[in-house]
């Protein structure tokens, strides 16, 4: 197979804050964390329950174009990306207990259940439970 | 991004509250040289000031005040690099009441004084079309494929950063550059 999907990214308004949220609240593990100069870092996280070779980069949205794009998605209630969960109700309760703000509670959307929440870094994120 | 708007029957009340908070955040990042009270912004989000601060922090991870200060510092950095106006004028343009406060906050958050930051960020030779790296990082997604030697150099400079690079093919730097310049 020629093409592989190994890397995804979300833009974040503060990389320190993002690393804390994505590891301590969402439960991902830290992959890379490398100072690349000028106050920016190459930070990735990966799912401890997923494939360790697939990483999510937490990209700084320092470019005004990035800020505009991120703010527009947020205003339109469009998640920046989505993560699969086994049990959406359990995950919803766990995240709520940690203070996460949901814009959409677990809701049936066709064959999947979805929920949308704020990541405290300027994005909305979606979790979804596929049909069993 | 996941376009799921059509699968949700109607926006919930929580959804519109978060959108109002998003608009309030936009307001906080605009007209930075003007005075903006907490009451004004809270009204925009249709919340009492104390509720507004709590809700704002839960959604954005920072207080409204911190967001406004960050926006002022971002604009200050841009002006310091791309404009030639004196530091005092930058201070006024981004809404700080005194030069002392501006310098103190700037040094604490950015790590150097405004004038040192300007000196270090500006180069003698300006390449047309190039954006200052201190303000605009390159495309981070492509950095996964930087040559490993470059990453190790960064790591050495950073000190004790733990590194576990996946074993992967390393593309020559020249090839990366050509892709980076086209894609970022």
């Amino acid at each position: 197979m020629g093409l592989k999907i190994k890397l995804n990214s979300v833009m974040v308004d503060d990389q320190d804050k993002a690393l804390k949220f994505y590891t301590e609240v969402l439960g991902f593990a830290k992959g890379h964390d490398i100072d690349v100069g000028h106050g920016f870092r190459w930070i990735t996280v990966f799912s401890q329950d997923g494939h360790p070779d697939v990483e999510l980069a937490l990209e700084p949205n320092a470019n005004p174009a990035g800020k505009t794009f991120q703010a527009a998605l947020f205003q339109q209630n469009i998640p920046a990306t989505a993560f699969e969960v086994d049990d959406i109700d359990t995950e919803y309760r766990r995240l709520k207990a940690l203070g996460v703000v949901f814009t959409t509670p677990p809701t049936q959307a066709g064959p999947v259940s979805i929920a949308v929440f704020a990541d405290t870094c300027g994005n909305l994120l979606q979790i979804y439970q596929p049909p069993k | 991004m996941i376009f799921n708007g059509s699968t949700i029957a109607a926006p919930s009340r929580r959804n519109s509250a978060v959108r109002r908070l998003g608009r309030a955040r936009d307001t906080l990042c605009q007209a930075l040289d003007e005075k903006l009270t907490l009451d004004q912004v809270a009204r925009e989000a249709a919340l009492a000031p104390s509720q507004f601060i709590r809700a704002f922090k839960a959604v954005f991870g920072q207080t409204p005040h911190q967001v406004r200060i960050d926006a002022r510092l971002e604009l200050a950095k841009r002006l310091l690099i791309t404009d030639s106006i004196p530091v005092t004028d930058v201070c006024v343009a981004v809404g700080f009441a005194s030069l002392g406060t501006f310098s103190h906050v700037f040094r604490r958050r950015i790590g150097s004084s405004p004038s040192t930051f300007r000196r270090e960020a500006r180069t003698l030779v300006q390449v047309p079309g190039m954006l200052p790296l201190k303000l605009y990082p390159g495309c981070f997604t492509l950095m996964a494929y930087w040559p490993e030697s470059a990453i190790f150099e960064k790591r050495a400079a950073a000190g004790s950063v733990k590194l576990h690079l996946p074993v992967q093919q390393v593309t020559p730097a020249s090839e990366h550059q050509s892709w980076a310049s086209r894609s970022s």
Side-chain angles (χ1 to χ4, degrees), chain A residues 7 13 17 31-34 36 38 40-42 59 62 64 74-75 77 79-80 101-103 114 120 126, chain B residues 1-2 4 12 14-15 18-19 22-23 25 58-60 133-136 140-141 143 151 161 163 165:
Chain A
L7 189 64
D13 60 9
K17 191 174 65 174
H32 298 90
D33 184 355
I34 301 164
V36 294
H38 306 295
F40 302 114
R41 285 147 70 197
W42 165 238
E59 292 209 44
F74 189 93
Q75 282 299 339
N77 198 37
V101 177
F102 278 77
T103 61
I114 62 164
T120 72
Q126 181 173 298
Chain B
M1 74 197 97
I2 313 300
N4 68 345
S12 65
R14 167 70 82 182
N15 181 345
V18 170
R19 286 166 83 162
R23 278 200 297 276
R25 188 187 195 226
V59 171
F60 295 115
L133 285 173
K134 275 212 170 194
L135 292 177
Y136 309 114
F140 270 40
T141 304
M143 287 173 48
I151 299 286
V161 178
L163 186 73
L165 280 171

Side-chain angles (χ1 to χ4, degrees), chain A residues 77-79 88 92 100-107 114-118 124-127, chain B residues 4 8 14:
Chain A
N77 198 37
I78 296 172
I88 199 164
Y92 172 72
V100 172
V101 177
F102 278 77
T103 61
T104 306
T107 305
I114 62 164
V116 180
F117 59 92
L124 294 175
L125 300 177
Q126 181 173 298
I127 48 175
Chain B
N4 68 345
I8 298 172
R14 167 70 82 182

Side-chain angles (χ1 to χ4, degrees), chain A residues 27 32-33 43 50 71 89 96 100 105 108 110:
Chain A
H32 298 90
D33 184 355
I43 300 177
D89 292 317
K96 283 275 279 187
V100 172
Q108 201 64 33

Side-chain angles (χ1 to χ4, degrees), chain B residues 60-76:
Chain B
F60 295 115
Q62 288 177 295
T63 64
H65 180 68
Q66 287 168 330
V67 164
R68 191 146 172 92
I69 293 291
D70 280 355
R72 283 178 164 158
L73 293 178
E74 280 304 309
L75 177 59

Side-chain angles (χ1 to χ4, degrees), chain B residues 86-139:
Chain B
V87 172
T88 314
D89 293 350
V90 173
C91 163
V92 174
V94 302
F96 280 93
S98 82
L99 185 58
T101 307
F102 172 55
S103 297
H104 175 73
V105 173
F106 194 97
R107 186 191 295 271
R108 203 181 64 216
R109 299 289 277 273
I110 311 297
S112 58
S113 71
S115 50
T116 304
F117 175 86
R118 167 177 269 173
R119 198 171 49 248
E120 289 174 354
R122 297 179 83 158
T123 54
L124 291 175
V125 180
Q126 297 287 335
V127 180
M130 283 282 286
L131 296 168
L133 285 173
K134 275 212 170 194
L135 292 177
Y136 309 114
C139 180

